[in-house]
Amino acid sequence: MRRMEPLALYIHWPFCASKCPYCDFNSHVRDGVDAARHGRALRRELAHEAARTGRRPLASIFFGGGTPSLMPPEVVADLVADARALFDAAPDIEVTLEANPTSVEIAKLRAFAQAGVNRASLGVQALDTEALRFLGRQHDAGEAIAALEAARAIFPRLSFDMIYARPGQGEAAWRAELRRALALAADHLSLYQLTIEPGTKFSTLFGRGEFTLPEGDAAAALYAATAEEAGAFGLAAYEVSNYARPGAESRHNLQYWRYGDYLGIGAGAHQRVLEPAGMRAARRHRAPEEWLARVERDGHAVVEEEWLTPRDRAREALLMGLRLAEGVELARIEARSGLAFDDCIDAATLRDCVEAGYLEQSPGRLRATGEGLIRLDALLPRLVA
């Protein structure tokens, strides 16, 4: 049954010690956080969603933020235990927690492992102290390396993030930095090209001309170098920005990209759940204080809820799935949307993309080529009918 497809569970901790200048996530800096109270609210909202959704298989839990490694480990342990009690957890359930490589947070890693976390995702971002300063990070290169080594010894699965295409960054320097990181911990990498997001501090500075970024051929060369260096360590690009050894892919994120069902609790969290009546989409209040007040009053903080139309579902499934190296399975698009594939794609654009070598269509599947992945953001709005 479609209802019995596994769920993914996202738990949002919206607080950070400081706001990074490139970040447009729902993250907030507060002088003091009542972590126990916030944890109780997360547990209450989780129970509310479980009551609505029913007992389902649970494939993954992901603690994101914000900076969830600022959470007390006992709060994480309670939430993992609740999720296991409310759903049918897979025997090998993936439980990921994002952490920053500061000494304070790294000291808590073993406690998080004891709380049930079996996969850590470290926000390394760079192994160059000057670059880390520019990016507004609170750790230096030495702390980043120590964090990778510590996490490698504690968790059976480890991922980390890095940001490239930084101001003045050349290909040779990026290759050397990336090789150093891969040699320390090469299971899974999320490698993001620095982009300027509206409303961030970097948006203001960039608009004033206070720094420039590699673009055009220079940016494309950095992207190609990224894939080449990761490949040399046995990591394949399974998604536009994500690289993994076979079997080390993020199961939680694959659930999003394959357009599976997921629940999201915490301030600003989103969710998509396919029910007999259709696809139910929901979003929670973004402000932590208002989210907390609503959960304590009503048991949840949902501020937007809608039933997605079949065309909306087909569009979302294509937008997510074409980011994957495997592409999209057309039968799944049809099953999740209720529409025939031909009815949710612009046929002329599809033909042009195939002829240009940006997309490949085979029986039952559509995927982006390497050239197509580079242009995906420009192609998708035209491709999806």
Side-chain angles (χ1 to χ4, degrees):
M1 292 177 58
R2 290 185 305 182
R3 278 180 60 83
M4 295 309 292
E5 281 200 4
L7 283 169
L9 170 63
Y10 176 79
I11 300 174
H12 190 71
W13 186 261
F15 304 111
C16 287
S18 62
K19 184 78 172 180
C20 295
Y22 55 84
C23 178
D24 68 341
F25 292 171
N26 185 35
S27 59
H28 306 266
V29 178
R30 298 289 186 266
D31 289 335
V33 175
D34 188 336
R37 182 183 175 195
H38 205 88
R40 288 192 297 271
L42 286 169
R43 296 179 71 186
R44 186 174 178 190
E45 191 164 56
L46 176 58
H48 172 86
E49 281 304 322
R52 294 189 70 186
T53 305
R55 194 170 187 88
R56 294 273 300 271
L58 182 64
S60 64
I61 305 171
F62 194 103
F63 290 89
T67 308
S69 51
L70 296 176
M71 299 173 72
E74 56 270 24
V75 172
V76 173
D78 286 342
L79 285 161
V80 172
D82 285 359
R84 285 180 170 275
L86 293 166
F87 301 102
D88 292 326
D92 61 344
I93 186 171
E94 175 187 274
V95 184
T96 303
L97 183 134
E98 293 180 334
N100 284 330
T102 64
S103 56
V104 171
E105 293 166 59
I106 296 308
K108 298 161 65 176
L109 289 183
R110 197 167 297 280
F112 286 128
Q114 293 168 349
V117 175
N118 55 27
R119 181 176 181 270
S121 179
L122 299 184
V124 170
Q125 313 310 3
L127 290 181
D128 177 275
T129 296
E130 185 177 341
L132 287 167
R133 228 177 270 121
F134 168 75
L135 293 170
R137 307 298 287 168
Q138 293 195 318
H139 62 276
D140 60 25
E143 284 181 304
I145 292 168
L148 287 169
E149 292 172 340
R152 176 84 284 164
I154 294 170
F155 296 98
R157 299 180 61 202
L158 174 63
S159 177
F160 63 96
D161 299 352
M162 293 187 74
I163 295 174
Y164 68 98
R166 307 186 300 255
Q169 186 179 40
E171 182 182 334
W174 170 232
R175 284 182 182 271
E177 184 179 357
L178 185 52
R179 283 177 200 153
R180 190 180 181 198
L182 286 161
L184 288 165
D187 289 341
H188 186 285
L189 280 173
S190 297
L191 302 173
Y192 300 108
Q193 185 168 327
L194 181 59
T195 55
I196 304 301
E197 302 295 341
T200 62
K201 181 179 179 181
F202 270 2
S203 178
T204 301
L205 298 177
F206 187 78
R208 291 176 185 162
E210 295 191 21
F211 67 88
T212 60
L213 298 178
E215 56 185 18
D217 290 345
L222 289 168
Y223 180 84
T226 299
E228 186 177 316
E229 294 296 336
F233 279 81
L235 280 72
Y238 72 100
E239 190 268 346
V240 172
S241 301
N242 286 270
Y243 303 75
R245 291 190 187 277
E249 298 87 355
S250 168
R251 297 174 209 161
H252 185 86
N253 286 337
L254 280 173
Q255 185 85 347
Y256 296 148
W257 295 320
R258 290 171 175 164
Y259 207 52
D261 290 351
Y262 61 94
L263 296 177
I265 64 167
H270 291 246
Q271 65 187 42
R272 299 283 189 276
V273 179
L274 186 60
E275 302 178 356
M279 176 76 77
R280 178 167 57 89
R283 180 183 69 80
R284 284 154 169 75
H285 202 289
R286 287 176 57 86
E289 292 78 13
E290 181 62 22
W291 172 86
L292 183 62
R294 287 173 182 247
V295 174
E296 290 180 337
R297 185 187 68 213
D298 303 325
H300 69 90
V302 171
V303 290
E304 289 181 10
E305 189 168 69
E306 62 177 324
W307 296 100
L308 298 180
T309 68
R311 192 163 298 282
D312 286 338
R313 285 144 56 182
R315 182 180 295 110
E316 287 188 347
L318 282 164
L319 291 174
M320 298 296 285
L322 283 176
R323 297 178 60 86
L324 289 168
E326 68 186 29
V328 293
E329 185 183 357
L330 305 190
R332 180 161 179 80
I333 298 285
E334 294 175 345
R336 299 291 285 178
S337 71
L339 285 179
F341 176 72
D342 290 344
D343 293 334
C344 57
I345 203 88
D346 185 275
T349 301
L350 174 60
R351 183 178 61 251
D352 291 345
C353 287
V354 170
E355 290 176 355
Y358 301 149
L359 296 175
E360 292 177 349
Q361 188 169 11
S362 57
R365 188 167 293 276
L366 181 68
R367 62 178 296 274
T369 65
E371 289 295 315
L373 286 172
I374 295 173
R375 299 167 173 82
L376 204 55
D377 288 343
L379 295 177
L380 285 172
R382 298 172 50 207
L383 181 64
V384 181

